[in-house]
Amino acid sequence: MGPWRCLLLLPLLAPALRAQQQQFMEYVERRLTLLEERISQWHDQSSRYSTELRDFKNQVLGMLEAAEKEREAMRAEAESAAVRVDRLEREVDYLETQNPAPPCVEVDETLMDKQVATAKQRKNEKYTKLTDCSDTIASVRAMKILKRFGSSSGLWTKDAAGSSEKIYVFDGTANDTVYVFPRMREFTLFSATRKAARIKLPYPWVGTGHLVYDGHLYYIRQQGLSFQVIKFNLANKTVVDSSVFPAEEQIPVFGLSPSTYIEVSADEEGLWAIYATKEDEKNMCLAKLDPASLDIEQMWDTPCPRENAEGAFVVCGALHVVYNTRLPSRARVQCVFDVSGTLAPEDASLVYFPKRYGSHSSLKYSPRERQIYAWDDGYQIIYRMEMKKKLEV
């Protein structure tokens, strides 16, 4: 086709091209209009969402402010309740001290007859005191919590007779390593045992009834069904003496401390052993020990029951037994037995111990300091005692 023919067709194709161009422009305009509508719709929705989000934020802020006010009100109520509970505990302590409950001795006619017969038999076997000690415990004057160390059960103490300031720690109810801290300061300040010396005992101990007395450790060893009192020299680390405790079919001496069969205690009169046997499984027995030979000088059947007992100690020849419940509550001295007969049971103070963590696993009386070293659920506590004179009967 020649050029002149193209020139002849051009006027015929121009209207068609203009129509297509017009259609394309209309299509583009329609698409732009639709896009503008969608942008406008998105803008409206975004504005609505922003308004809803702002309203929700304001609502949450209001709820948070209300919750904060309620929290402050609840905290104030809790603090007020704590103050009232503390005041109530002090009032209960005062009322219990003024109106003590009777000792938890089961009324048993046979047991009462046996106790009367035993008392008559022992009238001519009164204990001859070695000192002029005539004091008894009036109350717990103060309590000091030193720290938390070791397991839930254990024992810590000083030398009950010597002048040493060393602290002896027996962690657990079955072990053979004693920790020795040079002073109370090192024991209190350091949580680890790096400041402590270690004494490896020749035999493991059982229970928490051990005692440090006049440079020697008196501890309990179990051998089969029998129990030995081991006298161990702390200076040269040797066994000085040992003796099988002369009691048959022994049972745990405290109902709440099943691992302790013999409690060795010290007071102003010397050494004592607190124990129990199946022969009279309801009550405890008391024996006077010779610290040199470990011989039993005299023995007594006491009216103090084992049930709910958690510990005991001797003060001026009088056995003091501390009772509690299996669900730990308030511990108190609820039975006192004086071997010299100078302290009547009705004249003995039923001493209450302050609120504690759990249950005492050991209570060691220091006659030199007139205070008790206690182990309470892993916490080491000092109870300072208020003393009073015994009333002659």
PDB file of all heavy atoms in Angstrom, residues 205-232:
ATOM      1  N   TRP A 205      25.839 -38.724 115.570  1.00  0.00           N
ATOM      2  CA  TRP A 205      24.872 -38.522 116.645  1.00  0.00           C
ATOM      3  C   TRP A 205      23.468 -38.851 116.154  1.00  0.00           C
ATOM      4  O   TRP A 205      23.208 -38.962 114.965  1.00  0.00           O
ATOM      5  CB  TRP A 205      24.942 -37.080 117.145  1.00  0.00           C
ATOM      6  CG  TRP A 205      24.432 -36.032 116.190  1.00  0.00           C
ATOM      7  CD1 TRP A 205      23.144 -35.800 115.816  1.00  0.00           C
ATOM      8  CD2 TRP A 205      25.221 -35.054 115.500  1.00  0.00           C
ATOM      9  NE1 TRP A 205      23.073 -34.746 114.933  1.00  0.00           N
ATOM     10  CE2 TRP A 205      24.324 -34.262 114.728  1.00  0.00           C
ATOM     11  CE3 TRP A 205      26.584 -34.745 115.463  1.00  0.00           C
ATOM     12  CZ2 TRP A 205      24.764 -33.204 113.931  1.00  0.00           C
ATOM     13  CZ3 TRP A 205      26.995 -33.693 114.669  1.00  0.00           C
ATOM     14  CH2 TRP A 205      26.106 -32.942 113.919  1.00  0.00           C
ATOM     15  N   VAL A 206      22.537 -38.947 117.084  1.00  0.00           N
ATOM     16  CA  VAL A 206      21.128 -39.143 116.775  1.00  0.00           C
ATOM     17  C   VAL A 206      20.319 -38.175 117.636  1.00  0.00           C
ATOM     18  O   VAL A 206      20.595 -37.986 118.815  1.00  0.00           O
ATOM     19  CB  VAL A 206      20.687 -40.608 117.020  1.00  0.00           C
ATOM     20  CG1 VAL A 206      20.870 -41.010 118.470  1.00  0.00           C
ATOM     21  CG2 VAL A 206      19.235 -40.818 116.601  1.00  0.00           C
ATOM     22  N   GLY A 207      19.329 -37.531 117.027  1.00  0.00           N
ATOM     23  CA  GLY A 207      18.481 -36.598 117.755  1.00  0.00           C
ATOM     24  C   GLY A 207      19.120 -35.229 117.928  1.00  0.00           C
ATOM     25  O   GLY A 207      20.100 -34.878 117.262  1.00  0.00           O
ATOM     26  N   THR A 208      18.574 -34.462 118.885  1.00  0.00           N
ATOM     27  CA  THR A 208      19.066 -33.115 119.161  1.00  0.00           C
ATOM     28  C   THR A 208      19.241 -32.890 120.666  1.00  0.00           C
ATOM     29  O   THR A 208      19.098 -31.776 121.145  1.00  0.00           O
ATOM     30  CB  THR A 208      18.097 -32.055 118.606  1.00  0.00           C
ATOM     31  OG1 THR A 208      16.792 -32.241 119.214  1.00  0.00           O
ATOM     32  CG2 THR A 208      17.969 -32.153 117.103  1.00  0.00           C
ATOM     33  N   GLY A 209      19.553 -33.943 121.394  1.00  0.00           N
ATOM     34  CA  GLY A 209      19.642 -33.829 122.846  1.00  0.00           C
ATOM     35  C   GLY A 209      21.051 -33.693 123.384  1.00  0.00           C
ATOM     36  O   GLY A 209      21.312 -34.053 124.535  1.00  0.00           O
ATOM     37  N   HIS A 210      21.990 -33.163 122.618  1.00  0.00           N
ATOM     38  CA  HIS A 210      23.395 -33.129 123.006  1.00  0.00           C
ATOM     39  C   HIS A 210      23.712 -31.880 123.832  1.00  0.00           C
ATOM     40  O   HIS A 210      22.912 -30.940 123.913  1.00  0.00           O
ATOM     41  CB  HIS A 210      24.274 -33.189 121.756  1.00  0.00           C
ATOM     42  CG  HIS A 210      23.661 -34.020 120.659  1.00  0.00           C
ATOM     43  ND1 HIS A 210      23.382 -35.352 120.822  1.00  0.00           N
ATOM     44  CD2 HIS A 210      23.231 -33.688 119.414  1.00  0.00           C
ATOM     45  CE1 HIS A 210      22.821 -35.816 119.709  1.00  0.00           C
ATOM     46  NE2 HIS A 210      22.713 -34.813 118.854  1.00  0.00           N
ATOM     47  N   LEU A 211      24.920 -31.865 124.418  1.00  0.00           N
ATOM     48  CA  LEU A 211      25.284 -30.777 125.328  1.00  0.00           C
ATOM     49  C   LEU A 211      26.791 -30.574 125.320  1.00  0.00           C
ATOM     50  O   LEU A 211      27.560 -31.541 125.253  1.00  0.00           O
ATOM     51  CB  LEU A 211      24.824 -31.120 126.756  1.00  0.00           C
ATOM     52  CG  LEU A 211      25.146 -30.101 127.839  1.00  0.00           C
ATOM     53  CD1 LEU A 211      24.259 -28.872 127.698  1.00  0.00           C
ATOM     54  CD2 LEU A 211      24.965 -30.710 129.222  1.00  0.00           C
ATOM     55  N   VAL A 212      27.196 -29.307 125.384  1.00  0.00           N
ATOM     56  CA  VAL A 212      28.601 -28.950 125.581  1.00  0.00           C
ATOM     57  C   VAL A 212      28.733 -28.448 127.019  1.00  0.00           C
ATOM     58  O   VAL A 212      28.051 -27.498 127.413  1.00  0.00           O
ATOM     59  CB  VAL A 212      29.052 -27.868 124.586  1.00  0.00           C
ATOM     60  CG1 VAL A 212      30.505 -27.472 124.861  1.00  0.00           C
ATOM     61  CG2 VAL A 212      28.905 -28.378 123.154  1.00  0.00           C
ATOM     62  N   TYR A 213      29.617 -29.115 127.782  1.00  0.00           N
ATOM     63  CA  TYR A 213      29.701 -28.821 129.208  1.00  0.00           C
ATOM     64  C   TYR A 213      31.149 -28.954 129.672  1.00  0.00           C
ATOM     65  O   TYR A 213      31.746 -30.029 129.549  1.00  0.00           O
ATOM     66  CB  TYR A 213      28.801 -29.792 129.986  1.00  0.00           C
ATOM     67  CG  TYR A 213      28.681 -29.509 131.466  1.00  0.00           C
ATOM     68  CD1 TYR A 213      27.775 -28.573 131.959  1.00  0.00           C
ATOM     69  CD2 TYR A 213      29.474 -30.193 132.393  1.00  0.00           C
ATOM     70  CE1 TYR A 213      27.651 -28.327 133.315  1.00  0.00           C
ATOM     71  CE2 TYR A 213      29.365 -29.950 133.750  1.00  0.00           C
ATOM     72  CZ  TYR A 213      28.451 -29.011 134.200  1.00  0.00           C
ATOM     73  OH  TYR A 213      28.330 -28.774 135.547  1.00  0.00           O
ATOM     74  N   ASP A 214      31.710 -27.857 130.143  1.00  0.00           N
ATOM     75  CA  ASP A 214      33.047 -27.838 130.731  1.00  0.00           C
ATOM     76  C   ASP A 214      34.110 -28.420 129.779  1.00  0.00           C
ATOM     77  O   ASP A 214      34.909 -29.267 130.161  1.00  0.00           O
ATOM     78  CB  ASP A 214      33.043 -28.600 132.062  1.00  0.00           C
ATOM     79  CG  ASP A 214      34.281 -28.288 132.895  1.00  0.00           C
ATOM     80  OD1 ASP A 214      34.909 -27.227 132.672  1.00  0.00           O
ATOM     81  OD2 ASP A 214      34.625 -29.108 133.772  1.00  0.00           O
ATOM     82  N   GLY A 215      34.071 -27.980 128.529  1.00  0.00           N
ATOM     83  CA  GLY A 215      35.085 -28.409 127.565  1.00  0.00           C
ATOM     84  C   GLY A 215      34.845 -29.765 126.954  1.00  0.00           C
ATOM     85  O   GLY A 215      35.696 -30.256 126.197  1.00  0.00           O
ATOM     86  N   HIS A 216      33.728 -30.384 127.251  1.00  0.00           N
ATOM     87  CA  HIS A 216      33.423 -31.711 126.711  1.00  0.00           C
ATOM     88  C   HIS A 216      32.067 -31.686 126.014  1.00  0.00           C
ATOM     89  O   HIS A 216      31.167 -30.932 126.393  1.00  0.00           O
ATOM     90  CB  HIS A 216      33.408 -32.770 127.813  1.00  0.00           C
ATOM     91  CG  HIS A 216      34.742 -33.017 128.431  1.00  0.00           C
ATOM     92  ND1 HIS A 216      35.247 -32.226 129.452  1.00  0.00           N
ATOM     93  CD2 HIS A 216      35.698 -33.953 128.173  1.00  0.00           C
ATOM     94  CE1 HIS A 216      36.441 -32.671 129.802  1.00  0.00           C
ATOM     95  NE2 HIS A 216      36.743 -33.715 129.034  1.00  0.00           N
ATOM     96  N   LEU A 217      31.970 -32.528 125.002  1.00  0.00           N
ATOM     97  CA  LEU A 217      30.710 -32.721 124.305  1.00  0.00           C
ATOM     98  C   LEU A 217      30.095 -34.038 124.768  1.00  0.00           C
ATOM     99  O   LEU A 217      30.735 -35.088 124.703  1.00  0.00           O
ATOM    100  CB  LEU A 217      30.943 -32.746 122.792  1.00  0.00           C
ATOM    101  CG  LEU A 217      29.779 -33.256 121.928  1.00  0.00           C
ATOM    102  CD1 LEU A 217      28.552 -32.367 122.081  1.00  0.00           C
ATOM    103  CD2 LEU A 217      30.197 -33.352 120.465  1.00  0.00           C
ATOM    104  N   TYR A 218      28.868 -33.950 125.250  1.00  0.00           N
ATOM    105  CA  TYR A 218      28.103 -35.139 125.625  1.00  0.00           C
ATOM    106  C   TYR A 218      27.029 -35.331 124.558  1.00  0.00           C
ATOM    107  O   TYR A 218      26.104 -34.518 124.447  1.00  0.00           O
ATOM    108  CB  TYR A 218      27.467 -34.963 126.996  1.00  0.00           C
ATOM    109  CG  TYR A 218      28.468 -34.791 128.121  1.00  0.00           C
ATOM    110  CD1 TYR A 218      29.057 -33.555 128.376  1.00  0.00           C
ATOM    111  CD2 TYR A 218      28.832 -35.864 128.932  1.00  0.00           C
ATOM    112  CE1 TYR A 218      29.980 -33.394 129.402  1.00  0.00           C
ATOM    113  CE2 TYR A 218      29.752 -35.712 129.967  1.00  0.00           C
ATOM    114  CZ  TYR A 218      30.317 -34.469 130.187  1.00  0.00           C
ATOM    115  OH  TYR A 218      31.232 -34.314 131.202  1.00  0.00           O
ATOM    116  N   TYR A 219      27.193 -36.390 123.754  1.00  0.00           N
ATOM    117  CA  TYR A 219      26.205 -36.574 122.697  1.00  0.00           C
ATOM    118  C   TYR A 219      25.731 -38.029 122.677  1.00  0.00           C
ATOM    119  O   TYR A 219      26.331 -38.925 123.272  1.00  0.00           O
ATOM    120  CB  TYR A 219      26.768 -36.140 121.339  1.00  0.00           C
ATOM    121  CG  TYR A 219      27.779 -37.063 120.691  1.00  0.00           C
ATOM    122  CD1 TYR A 219      27.387 -37.980 119.720  1.00  0.00           C
ATOM    123  CD2 TYR A 219      29.143 -36.992 121.000  1.00  0.00           C
ATOM    124  CE1 TYR A 219      28.310 -38.802 119.091  1.00  0.00           C
ATOM    125  CE2 TYR A 219      30.061 -37.805 120.373  1.00  0.00           C
ATOM    126  CZ  TYR A 219      29.650 -38.707 119.423  1.00  0.00           C
ATOM    127  OH  TYR A 219      30.567 -39.527 118.809  1.00  0.00           O
ATOM    128  N   ILE A 220      24.594 -38.228 121.965  1.00  0.00           N
ATOM    129  CA  ILE A 220      23.902 -39.510 121.986  1.00  0.00           C
ATOM    130  C   ILE A 220      24.201 -40.282 120.706  1.00  0.00           C
ATOM    131  O   ILE A 220      24.085 -39.754 119.598  1.00  0.00           O
ATOM    132  CB  ILE A 220      22.379 -39.315 122.139  1.00  0.00           C
ATOM    133  CG1 ILE A 220      22.070 -38.393 123.326  1.00  0.00           C
ATOM    134  CG2 ILE A 220      21.681 -40.656 122.309  1.00  0.00           C
ATOM    135  CD1 ILE A 220      22.661 -38.857 124.638  1.00  0.00           C
ATOM    136  N   ARG A 221      24.582 -41.536 120.901  1.00  0.00           N
ATOM    137  CA  ARG A 221      24.834 -42.438 119.777  1.00  0.00           C
ATOM    138  C   ARG A 221      23.885 -43.629 119.891  1.00  0.00           C
ATOM    139  O   ARG A 221      23.703 -44.191 120.978  1.00  0.00           O
ATOM    140  CB  ARG A 221      26.279 -42.929 119.808  1.00  0.00           C
ATOM    141  CG  ARG A 221      26.598 -43.971 118.739  1.00  0.00           C
ATOM    142  CD  ARG A 221      27.867 -44.715 119.059  1.00  0.00           C
ATOM    143  NE  ARG A 221      28.203 -45.679 118.028  1.00  0.00           N
ATOM    144  CZ  ARG A 221      29.104 -46.649 118.166  1.00  0.00           C
ATOM    145  NH1 ARG A 221      29.759 -46.772 119.317  1.00  0.00           N
ATOM    146  NH2 ARG A 221      29.364 -47.488 117.174  1.00  0.00           N
ATOM    147  N   GLN A 222      23.281 -43.995 118.777  1.00  0.00           N
ATOM    148  CA  GLN A 222      22.407 -45.161 118.763  1.00  0.00           C
ATOM    149  C   GLN A 222      23.174 -46.364 118.232  1.00  0.00           C
ATOM    150  O   GLN A 222      23.844 -46.288 117.210  1.00  0.00           O
ATOM    151  CB  GLN A 222      21.165 -44.922 117.911  1.00  0.00           C
ATOM    152  CG  GLN A 222      20.167 -46.079 117.955  1.00  0.00           C
ATOM    153  CD  GLN A 222      18.858 -45.763 117.234  1.00  0.00           C
ATOM    154  OE1 GLN A 222      18.739 -44.731 116.585  1.00  0.00           O
ATOM    155  NE2 GLN A 222      17.884 -46.643 117.358  1.00  0.00           N
ATOM    156  N   GLN A 223      23.051 -47.462 118.962  1.00  0.00           N
ATOM    157  CA  GLN A 223      23.725 -48.707 118.568  1.00  0.00           C
ATOM    158  C   GLN A 223      22.706 -49.835 118.692  1.00  0.00           C
ATOM    159  O   GLN A 223      22.477 -50.365 119.770  1.00  0.00           O
ATOM    160  CB  GLN A 223      24.946 -48.960 119.452  1.00  0.00           C
ATOM    161  CG  GLN A 223      25.982 -49.869 118.831  1.00  0.00           C
ATOM    162  CD  GLN A 223      27.265 -49.899 119.637  1.00  0.00           C
ATOM    163  OE1 GLN A 223      27.266 -49.583 120.831  1.00  0.00           O
ATOM    164  NE2 GLN A 223      28.358 -50.284 119.009  1.00  0.00           N
ATOM    165  N   GLY A 224      22.074 -50.169 117.569  1.00  0.00           N
ATOM    166  CA  GLY A 224      21.003 -51.151 117.618  1.00  0.00           C
ATOM    167  C   GLY A 224      19.790 -50.568 118.325  1.00  0.00           C
ATOM    168  O   GLY A 224      19.274 -49.515 117.974  1.00  0.00           O
ATOM    169  N   LEU A 225      19.341 -51.269 119.376  1.00  0.00           N
ATOM    170  CA  LEU A 225      18.199 -50.799 120.165  1.00  0.00           C
ATOM    171  C   LEU A 225      18.623 -50.048 121.413  1.00  0.00           C
ATOM    172  O   LEU A 225      17.770 -49.585 122.172  1.00  0.00           O
ATOM    173  CB  LEU A 225      17.316 -51.999 120.563  1.00  0.00           C
ATOM    174  CG  LEU A 225      16.686 -52.780 119.399  1.00  0.00           C
ATOM    175  CD1 LEU A 225      15.895 -53.973 119.930  1.00  0.00           C
ATOM    176  CD2 LEU A 225      15.808 -51.881 118.542  1.00  0.00           C
ATOM    177  N   SER A 226      19.917 -49.952 121.644  1.00  0.00           N
ATOM    178  CA  SER A 226      20.417 -49.258 122.832  1.00  0.00           C
ATOM    179  C   SER A 226      21.018 -47.911 122.444  1.00  0.00           C
ATOM    180  O   SER A 226      21.326 -47.657 121.280  1.00  0.00           O
ATOM    181  CB  SER A 226      21.468 -50.109 123.549  1.00  0.00           C
ATOM    182  OG  SER A 226      22.587 -50.309 122.693  1.00  0.00           O
ATOM    183  N   PHE A 227      21.201 -47.071 123.465  1.00  0.00           N
ATOM    184  CA  PHE A 227      21.727 -45.732 123.250  1.00  0.00           C
ATOM    185  C   PHE A 227      22.915 -45.504 124.181  1.00  0.00           C
ATOM    186  O   PHE A 227      22.896 -45.910 125.352  1.00  0.00           O
ATOM    187  CB  PHE A 227      20.645 -44.686 123.506  1.00  0.00           C
ATOM    188  CG  PHE A 227      19.516 -44.749 122.529  1.00  0.00           C
ATOM    189  CD1 PHE A 227      18.429 -45.594 122.754  1.00  0.00           C
ATOM    190  CD2 PHE A 227      19.541 -43.999 121.372  1.00  0.00           C
ATOM    191  CE1 PHE A 227      17.395 -45.673 121.846  1.00  0.00           C
ATOM    192  CE2 PHE A 227      18.504 -44.067 120.456  1.00  0.00           C
ATOM    193  CZ  PHE A 227      17.430 -44.912 120.690  1.00  0.00           C
ATOM    194  N   GLN A 228      23.942 -44.873 123.628  1.00  0.00           N
ATOM    195  CA  GLN A 228      25.145 -44.562 124.382  1.00  0.00           C
ATOM    196  C   GLN A 228      25.278 -43.063 124.576  1.00  0.00           C
ATOM    197  O   GLN A 228      24.945 -42.269 123.690  1.00  0.00           O
ATOM    198  CB  GLN A 228      26.390 -45.062 123.647  1.00  0.00           C
ATOM    199  CG  GLN A 228      26.655 -46.553 123.754  1.00  0.00           C
ATOM    200  CD  GLN A 228      27.961 -46.910 123.073  1.00  0.00           C
ATOM    201  OE1 GLN A 228      28.191 -46.571 121.913  1.00  0.00           O
ATOM    202  NE2 GLN A 228      28.833 -47.590 123.787  1.00  0.00           N
ATOM    203  N   VAL A 229      25.784 -42.682 125.754  1.00  0.00           N
ATOM    204  CA  VAL A 229      26.184 -41.302 125.992  1.00  0.00           C
ATOM    205  C   VAL A 229      27.693 -41.243 125.785  1.00  0.00           C
ATOM    206  O   VAL A 229      28.450 -41.901 126.501  1.00  0.00           O
ATOM    207  CB  VAL A 229      25.805 -40.833 127.402  1.00  0.00           C
ATOM    208  CG1 VAL A 229      26.244 -39.383 127.609  1.00  0.00           C
ATOM    209  CG2 VAL A 229      24.306 -40.955 127.619  1.00  0.00           C
ATOM    210  N   ILE A 230      28.130 -40.480 124.792  1.00  0.00           N
ATOM    211  CA  ILE A 230      29.551 -40.361 124.459  1.00  0.00           C
ATOM    212  C   ILE A 230      30.086 -39.056 125.061  1.00  0.00           C
ATOM    213  O   ILE A 230      29.513 -37.987 124.848  1.00  0.00           O
ATOM    214  CB  ILE A 230      29.783 -40.351 122.934  1.00  0.00           C
ATOM    215  CG1 ILE A 230      29.101 -41.568 122.281  1.00  0.00           C
ATOM    216  CG2 ILE A 230      31.259 -40.315 122.620  1.00  0.00           C
ATOM    217  CD1 ILE A 230      29.675 -42.886 122.682  1.00  0.00           C
ATOM    218  N   LYS A 231      31.190 -39.158 125.806  1.00  0.00           N
ATOM    219  CA  LYS A 231      31.866 -37.974 126.348  1.00  0.00           C
ATOM    220  C   LYS A 231      33.100 -37.715 125.490  1.00  0.00           C
ATOM    221  O   LYS A 231      34.034 -38.510 125.464  1.00  0.00           O
ATOM    222  CB  LYS A 231      32.252 -38.197 127.809  1.00  0.00           C
ATOM    223  CG  LYS A 231      32.917 -36.989 128.469  1.00  0.00           C
ATOM    224  CD  LYS A 231      33.253 -37.274 129.920  1.00  0.00           C
ATOM    225  CE  LYS A 231      33.930 -36.064 130.577  1.00  0.00           C
ATOM    226  NZ  LYS A 231      34.281 -36.332 132.003  1.00  0.00           N
ATOM    227  N   PHE A 232      33.092 -36.593 124.798  1.00  0.00           N
ATOM    228  CA  PHE A 232      34.115 -36.282 123.801  1.00  0.00           C
ATOM    229  C   PHE A 232      34.852 -35.015 124.217  1.00  0.00           C
ATOM    230  O   PHE A 232      34.236 -33.969 124.467  1.00  0.00           O
ATOM    231  CB  PHE A 232      33.450 -36.094 122.432  1.00  0.00           C
ATOM    232  CG  PHE A 232      34.400 -35.824 121.297  1.00  0.00           C
ATOM    233  CD1 PHE A 232      35.066 -36.849 120.672  1.00  0.00           C
ATOM    234  CD2 PHE A 232      34.606 -34.523 120.850  1.00  0.00           C
ATOM    235  CE1 PHE A 232      35.933 -36.607 119.614  1.00  0.00           C
ATOM    236  CE2 PHE A 232      35.459 -34.259 119.799  1.00  0.00           C
ATOM    237  CZ  PHE A 232      36.131 -35.312 119.182  1.00  0.00           C
TER     238      PHE A 232
END
